[in-house]
């Protein structure tokens, strides 16, 4: 039976590598155009939903403003200025060109520190995820480094680097790296080994298995960690600036405190949060939506929109 | 002529011997079923044969161009559509980019997948459809050897039959050789040319039998009679239905 099959098998093998006849090729070209159109439509739909979801965000912010207004009416303008007054103060601040430089300085420091922490944390996390012994060694170290308050690091960094960008960046690096590290390490360590074995059975080496299989599973742990690290970066940047007297939003907050100008202080807080929102929704969320597109298919309708 | 040769394979997990002295030869174009009671090391053996586990002793010789595998679970990548999952196997096989689309379509046709299913993510597909995609993924790179590791155990009876028919048809059309692990003798008697029975404690083979007839041309009556004959008269099959879930690997 098998011997009779052998010549056929050889023929099937030689015919197997693709040599598409011409009319078939034309049909495939049309299929590709249709697929591109489908992809473009899909992307427009997702962008539309992303923008539309802004209404829910606005509703939440409006609720917060209402609570704030209630607090203002209960305690008076000196303790808690009205949200509208704060907005007016923020607009006044932004009218000044120097304020944009201050915002830019803090944002730059936060994003640079975040970038360093993201790269260092991800690389170390991947290494630890593949090496359980390293992960076991790293866990107590993480507890220690997360247990030291960022303020202590600021004091140390001030001694090492003086009142400069480096102080802020170093403090962010120390404060934000452990979060990213844990996200990446857990993502790699808890990956589905069955998928690894599948890829290996289909001929993938270790590098391709990481790039095609493990890295995608890591992403679902890594992105929440990155969002958290970005928030930490902005908080720590402002705190470090305030304590180290290194300018930026922190410096402006210190000035507002000296002048007892609560509306100005709140305005700067508002602007810092706005900068964070711009970076998170302009960078992290779209990146995540792109990588984690398949999750949307699994979501029930009420979660989707 | 041998497509896959296993000679005196032995393996142990943490000092516990699961396989020893197993020798087996699969001819080109032949579907060989491997049966045995639960926990006898069938799965370990197929993982060794596919190169996923390094055996402690023995030698594996592979005389074929390319192999692929269908697992008990579909093992699809959840972030790729059905189409992407099938194309994934082509990507790993370094299939020329221009030839991938027609090849995906061909594999989907063999596994009876419609174009509307191809655009869906695995979470949107039923269990049977997912296993179909897994079969299409295995067929896509035109392998001349296929490993099946109890692929249809989780499916219901009707679906199982359809999947078996699909494998029989694909094996006849593409002429691949296969090692088909199952603990269902009816399944083995339907899809295979030959059947190997693993010893209940993994100590070599208990028997190697030709299955009468040709896969796809056997009637249900013949299949049933063959299985009854094995179970009633053949000592090699005496322990096939023994169950010891403690040793299950």
């Amino acid at each position: 039976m098998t011997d009779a099959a052998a010549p056929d098998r050889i023929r099937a093998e030689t015919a197997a590598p693709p040599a598409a006849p011409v009319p078939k090729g034309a049909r495939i070209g049309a299929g590709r155009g249709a697929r591109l159109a489908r992809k473009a439509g899909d992307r427009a739909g997702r962008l539309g939903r992303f923008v539309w979801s802004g209404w829910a965000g606005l509703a939440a912010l409006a609720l917060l403003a209402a609570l704030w207004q209630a607090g203002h009416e209960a305690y008076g303008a000196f303790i808690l200025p009205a949200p509208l007054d704060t907005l007016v103060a923020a607009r006044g601040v932004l009218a000044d060109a120097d304020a944009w430089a201050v915002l830019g300085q803090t944002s730059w420091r936060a994003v640079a520190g975040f970038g360093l922490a993201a790269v260092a944390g991800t690389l170390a996390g991947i290494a630890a995820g593949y090496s359980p012994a390293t992960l076991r060694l790293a866990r107590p170290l993480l507890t220690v480094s997360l247990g030291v308050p960022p303020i202590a690091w600021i004091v140390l960094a001030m001694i090492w680097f003086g009142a400069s960008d480096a102080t802020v960046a170093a403090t962010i690096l120390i404060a934000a790296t452990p979060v990213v590290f844990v996200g990446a390490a857990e993502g790699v360590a808890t990956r589905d080994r069955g998928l690894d074995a599948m890829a290996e059975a289909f001929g993938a080496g270790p590098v391709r298995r990481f790039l095609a299989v493990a890295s995608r599973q890591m992403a679902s742990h890594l992105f929440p960690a990155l969002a958290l690290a970005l928030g930490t970066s902005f908080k720590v940047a402002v705190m470090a600036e305030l304590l180290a007297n290194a300018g930026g939003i922190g410096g402006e907050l210190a000035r507002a405190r000296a002048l007892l100008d609560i509306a100005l202080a709140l305005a700067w807080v508002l602007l810092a949060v706005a900068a964070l929102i711009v970076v998170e929704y302009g960078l992290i969320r779209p990146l995540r939506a792109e990588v984690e597109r398949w999750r949307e298919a699994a979501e029930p309708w009420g979660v989707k929109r | 002529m041998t497509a896959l040769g296993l000679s005196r394979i032995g393996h142990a997990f943490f000092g516990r011997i699961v396989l020893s002295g197993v020798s087996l030869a699969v001819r080109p174009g032949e579907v060989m079923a491997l049966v045995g009671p639960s926990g006898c090391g069938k799965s370990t053996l197929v993982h060794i044969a596919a190169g996923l586990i390094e055996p402690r002793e023995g030698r594996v010789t592979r005389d074929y161009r390319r192999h692929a595998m269908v697992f008990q679970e579909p093992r699809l990548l959840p972030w790729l559509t059905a189409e992407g999952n099938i194309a994934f196997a082509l990507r790993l096989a370094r299939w020329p980019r221009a030839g991938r689309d027609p090849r995906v379509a061909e594999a989907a046709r063999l596994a009876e997948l419609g174009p509307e299913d191809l655009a869906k993510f695995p979470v949107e597909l039923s269990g049977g459809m997912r296993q179909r995609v897994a079969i299409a993924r295995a067929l896509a790179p035109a392998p001349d050897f296929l490993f099946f590791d109890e692929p249809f155990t989780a499916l219901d009876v009707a679906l199982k039959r359809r999947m078996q028919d699909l494998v029989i048809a694909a094996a006849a059309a593409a002429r691949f050789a296969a090692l088909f692990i199952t603990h269902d003798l009816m399944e083995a008697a339907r899809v295979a040319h030959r059947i190997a029975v693993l010893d209940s404690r993994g100590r070599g083979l208990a028997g190697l039998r030709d299955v009468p007839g040709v896969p796809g041309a056997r009637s249900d009556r013949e299949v049933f009679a063959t299985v009854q004959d094995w179970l009633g008269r053949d000592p090699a099959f005496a322990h096939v239905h023994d169950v010891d879930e403690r040793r299950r690997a």
Side-chain angles (χ1 to χ4, degrees):
Chain A
M1 149 85 232
T2 40
D3 287 344
D8 280 353
R9 178 172 147 273
I10 290 158
R11 208 174 330 131
E13 269 175 22
T14 44
V22 182
K24 211 174 173 186
R27 207 187 62 215
I28 290 152
R32 187 161 293 158
R35 186 179 321 157
L36 274 181
R38 201 178 67 206
K39 271 194 176 157
D42 185 42
R43 189 166 297 266
R46 278 189 292 132
L47 187 66
R49 277 202 294 281
F50 181 63
V51 172
W52 185 251
S53 70
W55 287 114
L58 272 182
L61 290 180
L63 273 175
L64 179 68
L67 271 177
W68 183 351
Q69 180 72 27
H72 160 70
E73 283 170 17
Y75 294 104
F78 181 70
I79 301 289
L80 195 60
L84 260 183
D85 293 345
T86 311
L87 274 180
V88 169
R91 215 176 62 190
V93 167
L94 285 184
D96 188 359
D98 292 346
W100 285 97
V102 168
L103 264 181
Q105 190 179 26
T106 300
S107 301
W108 162 245
R109 284 169 172 170
V111 170
F114 166 73
L116 281 178
V119 171
T122 306
L123 291 181
I126 290 169
Y130 276 107
S131 153
T134 313
L135 194 54
R136 271 198 288 275
L137 279 179
R139 279 213 176 104
L141 293 180
L142 284 176
T143 313
V144 170
S145 71
L146 284 171
V148 178
I151 295 236
W153 294 117
I154 293 170
V155 172
L156 283 176
M158 272 168 65
I159 295 169
W160 293 334
F161 303 110
S164 68
D165 279 3
T167 304
V168 182
T171 315
I172 293 173
L173 187 65
I174 292 167
T177 304
V179 179
V180 181
F181 174 84
V182 170
E186 289 292 322
V188 173
T190 61
R191 73 193 186 280
D192 185 347
R193 316 279 159 136
L195 293 182
D196 262 10
M198 182 278 293
E200 197 179 351
F202 281 86
V207 175
R208 300 193 97 192
R209 282 209 298 281
F210 170 72
L211 292 177
V213 180
S215 69
R216 294 299 294 261
Q217 296 181 69
M218 181 181 76
S220 61
H221 286 256
L222 188 59
F223 276 111
L226 285 180
L228 192 61
L230 183 65
T232 308
S233 300
F234 270 88
K235 279 187 280 192
V236 171
V238 172
M239 192 161 64
E241 284 169 349
L242 193 146
L243 287 172
N245 199 17
I249 293 174
E252 294 301 314
L253 274 177
R255 209 163 57 85
R257 183 188 58 181
L259 299 174
L260 283 182
D261 190 340
I262 312 291
L264 186 64
L266 276 177
W268 276 111
V269 172
L270 208 64
L271 292 176
V273 172
L276 168 64
I277 288 176
V278 165
V279 176
E280 177 163 346
Y281 280 83
L283 186 74
I284 306 277
R285 294 296 175 115
L287 198 65
R288 176 173 196 177
E290 199 57 39
V291 175
E292 306 260 276
R293 192 148 54 93
W294 63 279
R295 278 190 200 281
E296 205 179 304
E299 280 172 351
W301 194 86
V303 178
K304 227 178 253 185
R305 49 198 89 159
Chain B
M1 233 168 114
T2 321
L4 173 78
L6 302 176
S7 99
R8 307 206 57 78
I9 296 291
H11 197 63
F13 285 119
F14 303 109
R16 187 171 64 82
I17 293 169
V18 289
L19 289 170
S20 65
V22 181
S23 298
L24 198 65
V26 184
R27 301 172 194 139
E30 170 191 55
V31 177
M32 180 180 278
L34 183 67
V35 300
S38 295
C40 71
K42 301 187 295 280
S43 231
T44 309
L45 189 65
V46 79
H47 281 80
I48 288 171
L52 298 177
I53 301 176
E54 197 63 32
R56 277 229 322 202
E57 42 193 65
R59 227 156 57 88
V60 181
T61 45
R62 302 188 183 90
D63 187 17
Y64 51 75
R65 279 178 313 123
R66 176 179 294 152
H67 69 224
M69 192 157 176
V70 181
F71 296 86
Q72 189 169 352
E73 324 81 46
R75 298 202 185 179
L76 302 176
L77 302 177
W79 54 87
L80 292 179
T81 58
E83 188 176 14
N85 268 290
I86 300 171
F88 178 74
L90 294 175
R91 220 167 80 206
L92 292 184
R94 300 182 197 283
W95 200 273
R97 204 170 282 273
R100 285 184 198 171
D101 281 359
R103 192 57 212 165
V104 168
E106 170 66 11
R109 193 188 59 73
L110 281 173
E112 296 173 14
L113 284 164
E116 69 282 359
D117 304 319
L118 285 179
K120 287 182 182 161
F121 287 100
V123 283
E124 300 172 284
L125 295 169
S126 67
M129 293 305 282
R130 283 180 210 168
Q131 200 58 305
R132 259 178 222 272
V133 176
I135 293 173
R137 175 179 64 189
L139 295 177
D144 45 359
F145 202 100
L146 266 161
F147 294 99
F148 292 90
D149 184 10
E150 302 197 29
F152 310 137
T153 308
L155 304 181
D156 66 62
V157 179
L159 206 50
K160 205 179 207 179
R161 266 187 81 92
R162 284 189 52 96
M163 296 289 172
Q164 289 162 2
D165 291 340
L166 208 150
V167 168
I168 292 167
R175 300 254 182 225
F176 52 75
L179 188 59
F180 194 108
I181 306 281
T182 178
H183 57 237
D184 178 356
L185 285 179
M186 295 289 284
E187 182 164 87
R190 288 195 81 213
V191 303
H193 296 104
R194 279 198 300 166
I195 178 167
V197 188
L198 203 58
D199 175 72
S200 57
R201 293 190 302 138
R203 309 288 191 273
L205 290 184
L208 185 64
R209 303 284 180 269
D210 284 317
V211 184
V214 180
R218 299 172 188 135
S219 71
D220 283 351
R221 188 188 295 272
E222 284 165 350
V223 168
F224 189 72
T226 307
V227 171
Q228 286 305 308
D229 189 46
W230 284 339
L231 286 176
R233 253 170 284 175
D234 196 331
F237 292 86
H239 295 289
V240 162
H241 285 155
D242 288 0
V243 175
D244 185 358
E245 63 277 1
R246 283 166 304 164
R247 294 185 64 238
R248 197 159 195 155

mmCIF file with all atom_site columns, all heavy atoms in Angstrom, chain A residues 8 30 35 41 57 68 78 98 140 171 178 214 225 293:
data_model
loop_
_atom_site.group_PDB
_atom_site.id
_atom_site.type_symbol
_atom_site.label_atom_id
_atom_site.label_alt_id
_atom_site.label_comp_id
_atom_site.label_asym_id
_atom_site.label_entity_id
_atom_site.label_seq_id
_atom_site.pdbx_PDB_ins_code
_atom_site.Cartn_x
_atom_site.Cartn_y
_atom_site.Cartn_z
_atom_site.occupancy
_atom_site.B_iso_or_equiv
_atom_site.pdbx_formal_charge
_atom_site.auth_seq_id
_atom_site.auth_comp_id
_atom_site.auth_asym_id
_atom_site.auth_atom_id
_atom_site.pdbx_PDB_model_num
ATOM 1   N N   . ASP A 1 8   ? 3.217   8.726  -5.982 1.00 0.00 ? 8   ASP A N   1
ATOM 2   C CA  . ASP A 1 8   ? 2.221   9.796  -5.870 1.00 0.00 ? 8   ASP A CA  1
ATOM 3   C C   . ASP A 1 8   ? 2.658   10.843 -4.866 1.00 0.00 ? 8   ASP A C   1
ATOM 4   O O   . ASP A 1 8   ? 2.483   12.029 -5.058 1.00 0.00 ? 8   ASP A O   1
ATOM 5   C CB  . ASP A 1 8   ? 0.874   9.224  -5.406 1.00 0.00 ? 8   ASP A CB  1
ATOM 6   C CG  . ASP A 1 8   ? 0.137   8.592  -6.574 1.00 0.00 ? 8   ASP A CG  1
ATOM 7   O OD1 . ASP A 1 8   ? 0.640   8.741  -7.723 1.00 0.00 ? 8   ASP A OD1 1
ATOM 8   O OD2 . ASP A 1 8   ? -0.887  7.952  -6.349 1.00 0.00 ? 8   ASP A OD2 1
ATOM 9   N N   . ALA A 1 30  ? -7.480  40.675 -6.057 1.00 0.00 ? 30  ALA A N   1
ATOM 10  C CA  . ALA A 1 30  ? -8.759  41.283 -5.685 1.00 0.00 ? 30  ALA A CA  1
ATOM 11  C C   . ALA A 1 30  ? -9.053  41.030 -4.215 1.00 0.00 ? 30  ALA A C   1
ATOM 12  O O   . ALA A 1 30  ? -9.489  41.907 -3.489 1.00 0.00 ? 30  ALA A O   1
ATOM 13  C CB  . ALA A 1 30  ? -9.873  40.704 -6.562 1.00 0.00 ? 30  ALA A CB  1
ATOM 14  N N   . ARG A 1 35  ? -9.367  42.856 1.470  1.00 0.00 ? 35  ARG A N   1
ATOM 15  C CA  . ARG A 1 35  ? -8.908  42.728 2.845  1.00 0.00 ? 35  ARG A CA  1
ATOM 16  C C   . ARG A 1 35  ? -8.377  44.068 3.365  1.00 0.00 ? 35  ARG A C   1
ATOM 17  O O   . ARG A 1 35  ? -8.614  44.439 4.512  1.00 0.00 ? 35  ARG A O   1
ATOM 18  C CB  . ARG A 1 35  ? -7.814  41.667 2.937  1.00 0.00 ? 35  ARG A CB  1
ATOM 19  C CG  . ARG A 1 35  ? -7.466  41.441 4.388  1.00 0.00 ? 35  ARG A CG  1
ATOM 20  C CD  . ARG A 1 35  ? -6.416  40.413 4.621  1.00 0.00 ? 35  ARG A CD  1
ATOM 21  N NE  . ARG A 1 35  ? -6.519  39.257 3.748  1.00 0.00 ? 35  ARG A NE  1
ATOM 22  C CZ  . ARG A 1 35  ? -5.472  38.488 3.486  1.00 0.00 ? 35  ARG A CZ  1
ATOM 23  N NH1 . ARG A 1 35  ? -4.300  38.775 3.993  1.00 0.00 ? 35  ARG A NH1 1
ATOM 24  N NH2 . ARG A 1 35  ? -5.595  37.439 2.723  1.00 0.00 ? 35  ARG A NH2 1
ATOM 25  N N   . GLY A 1 41  ? -11.591 49.856 7.260  1.00 0.00 ? 41  GLY A N   1
ATOM 26  C CA  . GLY A 1 41  ? -12.886 50.059 7.906  1.00 0.00 ? 41  GLY A CA  1
ATOM 27  C C   . GLY A 1 41  ? -12.830 49.691 9.375  1.00 0.00 ? 41  GLY A C   1
ATOM 28  O O   . GLY A 1 41  ? -13.324 50.415 10.241 1.00 0.00 ? 41  GLY A O   1
ATOM 29  N N   . GLY A 1 57  ? -15.626 59.386 29.798 1.00 0.00 ? 57  GLY A N   1
ATOM 30  C CA  . GLY A 1 57  ? -14.585 60.043 30.586 1.00 0.00 ? 57  GLY A CA  1
ATOM 31  C C   . GLY A 1 57  ? -15.027 61.430 31.029 1.00 0.00 ? 57  GLY A C   1
ATOM 32  O O   . GLY A 1 57  ? -14.847 61.817 32.190 1.00 0.00 ? 57  GLY A O   1
ATOM 33  N N   . TRP A 1 68  ? -16.484 68.447 43.814 1.00 0.00 ? 68  TRP A N   1
ATOM 34  C CA  . TRP A 1 68  ? -15.525 69.521 44.129 1.00 0.00 ? 68  TRP A CA  1
ATOM 35  C C   . TRP A 1 68  ? -16.293 70.801 44.453 1.00 0.00 ? 68  TRP A C   1
ATOM 36  O O   . TRP A 1 68  ? -16.026 71.486 45.448 1.00 0.00 ? 68  TRP A O   1
ATOM 37  C CB  . TRP A 1 68  ? -14.620 69.673 42.915 1.00 0.00 ? 68  TRP A CB  1
ATOM 38  C CG  . TRP A 1 68  ? -13.515 70.669 43.016 1.00 0.00 ? 68  TRP A CG  1
ATOM 39  C CD1 . TRP A 1 68  ? -13.296 71.594 44.004 1.00 0.00 ? 68  TRP A CD1 1
ATOM 40  C CD2 . TRP A 1 68  ? -12.459 70.856 42.074 1.00 0.00 ? 68  TRP A CD2 1
ATOM 41  N NE1 . TRP A 1 68  ? -12.193 72.331 43.761 1.00 0.00 ? 68  TRP A NE1 1
ATOM 42  C CE2 . TRP A 1 68  ? -11.639 71.902 42.561 1.00 0.00 ? 68  TRP A CE2 1
ATOM 43  C CE3 . TRP A 1 68  ? -12.127 70.253 40.867 1.00 0.00 ? 68  TRP A CE3 1
ATOM 44  C CZ2 . TRP A 1 68  ? -10.509 72.355 41.869 1.00 0.00 ? 68  TRP A CZ2 1
ATOM 45  C CZ3 . TRP A 1 68  ? -11.004 70.710 40.197 1.00 0.00 ? 68  TRP A CZ3 1
ATOM 46  C CH2 . TRP A 1 68  ? -10.203 71.740 40.693 1.00 0.00 ? 68  TRP A CH2 1
ATOM 47  N N   . PHE A 1 78  ? -11.160 79.816 50.430 1.00 0.00 ? 78  PHE A N   1
ATOM 48  C CA  . PHE A 1 78  ? -9.761  79.784 50.855 1.00 0.00 ? 78  PHE A CA  1
ATOM 49  C C   . PHE A 1 78  ? -9.259  78.344 50.958 1.00 0.00 ? 78  PHE A C   1
ATOM 50  O O   . PHE A 1 78  ? -8.148  78.027 50.534 1.00 0.00 ? 78  PHE A O   1
ATOM 51  C CB  . PHE A 1 78  ? -9.596  80.492 52.213 1.00 0.00 ? 78  PHE A CB  1
ATOM 52  C CG  . PHE A 1 78  ? -8.164  80.496 52.661 1.00 0.00 ? 78  PHE A CG  1
ATOM 53  C CD1 . PHE A 1 78  ? -7.220  81.287 52.002 1.00 0.00 ? 78  PHE A CD1 1
ATOM 54  C CD2 . PHE A 1 78  ? -7.729  79.684 53.695 1.00 0.00 ? 78  PHE A CD2 1
ATOM 55  C CE1 . PHE A 1 78  ? -5.894  81.269 52.377 1.00 0.00 ? 78  PHE A CE1 1
ATOM 56  C CE2 . PHE A 1 78  ? -6.398  79.660 54.073 1.00 0.00 ? 78  PHE A CE2 1
ATOM 57  C CZ  . PHE A 1 78  ? -5.480  80.466 53.419 1.00 0.00 ? 78  PHE A CZ  1
ATOM 58  N N   . ASP A 1 98  ? 6.075   81.163 29.510 1.00 0.00 ? 98  ASP A N   1
ATOM 59  C CA  . ASP A 1 98  ? 6.992   80.468 30.420 1.00 0.00 ? 98  ASP A CA  1
ATOM 60  C C   . ASP A 1 98  ? 6.340   79.226 31.026 1.00 0.00 ? 98  ASP A C   1
ATOM 61  O O   . ASP A 1 98  ? 7.015   78.232 31.290 1.00 0.00 ? 98  ASP A O   1
ATOM 62  C CB  . ASP A 1 98  ? 7.431   81.406 31.560 1.00 0.00 ? 98  ASP A CB  1
ATOM 63  C CG  . ASP A 1 98  ? 8.312   82.523 31.042 1.00 0.00 ? 98  ASP A CG  1
ATOM 64  O OD1 . ASP A 1 98  ? 8.782   82.395 29.889 1.00 0.00 ? 98  ASP A OD1 1
ATOM 65  O OD2 . ASP A 1 98  ? 8.513   83.519 31.760 1.00 0.00 ? 98  ASP A OD2 1
ATOM 66  N N   . PRO A 1 140 ? 12.438  39.342 46.936 1.00 0.00 ? 140 PRO A N   1
ATOM 67  C CA  . PRO A 1 140 ? 12.699  40.093 48.173 1.00 0.00 ? 140 PRO A CA  1
ATOM 68  C C   . PRO A 1 140 ? 13.334  41.454 47.907 1.00 0.00 ? 140 PRO A C   1
ATOM 69  O O   . PRO A 1 140 ? 13.017  42.432 48.607 1.00 0.00 ? 140 PRO A O   1
ATOM 70  C CB  . PRO A 1 140 ? 13.666  39.189 48.957 1.00 0.00 ? 140 PRO A CB  1
ATOM 71  C CG  . PRO A 1 140 ? 13.922  38.003 48.136 1.00 0.00 ? 140 PRO A CG  1
ATOM 72  C CD  . PRO A 1 140 ? 13.104  38.038 46.911 1.00 0.00 ? 140 PRO A CD  1
ATOM 73  N N   . THR A 1 171 ? 15.289  59.354 40.482 1.00 0.00 ? 171 THR A N   1
ATOM 74  C CA  . THR A 1 171 ? 14.222  59.005 41.428 1.00 0.00 ? 171 THR A CA  1
ATOM 75  C C   . THR A 1 171 ? 13.096  58.263 40.707 1.00 0.00 ? 171 THR A C   1
ATOM 76  O O   . THR A 1 171 ? 12.576  57.260 41.217 1.00 0.00 ? 171 THR A O   1
ATOM 77  C CB  . THR A 1 171 ? 13.661  60.274 42.084 1.00 0.00 ? 171 THR A CB  1
ATOM 78  O OG1 . THR A 1 171 ? 14.748  61.107 42.470 1.00 0.00 ? 171 THR A OG1 1
ATOM 79  C CG2 . THR A 1 171 ? 12.845  59.924 43.295 1.00 0.00 ? 171 THR A CG2 1
ATOM 80  N N   . PRO A 1 178 ? 10.542  48.848 39.442 1.00 0.00 ? 178 PRO A N   1
ATOM 81  C CA  . PRO A 1 178 ? 10.033  47.581 39.998 1.00 0.00 ? 178 PRO A CA  1
ATOM 82  C C   . PRO A 1 178 ? 8.662   47.192 39.469 1.00 0.00 ? 178 PRO A C   1
ATOM 83  O O   . PRO A 1 178 ? 8.407   46.014 39.208 1.00 0.00 ? 178 PRO A O   1
ATOM 84  C CB  . PRO A 1 178 ? 9.971   47.861 41.503 1.00 0.00 ? 178 PRO A CB  1
ATOM 85  C CG  . PRO A 1 178 ? 10.955  48.938 41.730 1.00 0.00 ? 178 PRO A CG  1
ATOM 86  C CD  . PRO A 1 178 ? 10.932  49.789 40.504 1.00 0.00 ? 178 PRO A CD  1
ATOM 87  N N   . ALA A 1 214 ? 5.662   34.397 23.272 1.00 0.00 ? 214 ALA A N   1
ATOM 88  C CA  . ALA A 1 214 ? 5.766   34.844 24.671 1.00 0.00 ? 214 ALA A CA  1
ATOM 89  C C   . ALA A 1 214 ? 5.575   36.356 24.804 1.00 0.00 ? 214 ALA A C   1
ATOM 90  O O   . ALA A 1 214 ? 4.927   36.824 25.743 1.00 0.00 ? 214 ALA A O   1
ATOM 91  C CB  . ALA A 1 214 ? 7.114   34.426 25.256 1.00 0.00 ? 214 ALA A CB  1
ATOM 92  N N   . ALA A 1 225 ? 1.042   47.585 33.917 1.00 0.00 ? 225 ALA A N   1
ATOM 93  C CA  . ALA A 1 225 ? 2.216   48.000 34.690 1.00 0.00 ? 225 ALA A CA  1
ATOM 94  C C   . ALA A 1 225 ? 2.795   49.286 34.126 1.00 0.00 ? 225 ALA A C   1
ATOM 95  O O   . ALA A 1 225 ? 3.195   50.177 34.879 1.00 0.00 ? 225 ALA A O   1
ATOM 96  C CB  . ALA A 1 225 ? 3.262   46.887 34.684 1.00 0.00 ? 225 ALA A CB  1
ATOM 97  N N   . ARG A 1 293 ? -5.879  43.892 20.350 1.00 0.00 ? 293 ARG A N   1
ATOM 98  C CA  . ARG A 1 293 ? -7.114  44.034 19.590 1.00 0.00 ? 293 ARG A CA  1
ATOM 99  C C   . ARG A 1 293 ? -8.045  42.841 19.792 1.00 0.00 ? 293 ARG A C   1
ATOM 100 O O   . ARG A 1 293 ? -9.256  42.967 19.864 1.00 0.00 ? 293 ARG A O   1
ATOM 101 C CB  . ARG A 1 293 ? -6.767  44.176 18.103 1.00 0.00 ? 293 ARG A CB  1
ATOM 102 C CG  . ARG A 1 293 ? -7.883  44.601 17.236 1.00 0.00 ? 293 ARG A CG  1
ATOM 103 C CD  . ARG A 1 293 ? -7.343  45.410 16.098 1.00 0.00 ? 293 ARG A CD  1
ATOM 104 N NE  . ARG A 1 293 ? -6.297  44.681 15.392 1.00 0.00 ? 293 ARG A NE  1
ATOM 105 C CZ  . ARG A 1 293 ? -6.534  43.921 14.331 1.00 0.00 ? 293 ARG A CZ  1
ATOM 106 N NH1 . ARG A 1 293 ? -7.743  43.785 13.874 1.00 0.00 ? 293 ARG A NH1 1
ATOM 107 N NH2 . ARG A 1 293 ? -5.551  43.303 13.728 1.00 0.00 ? 293 ARG A NH2 1
#
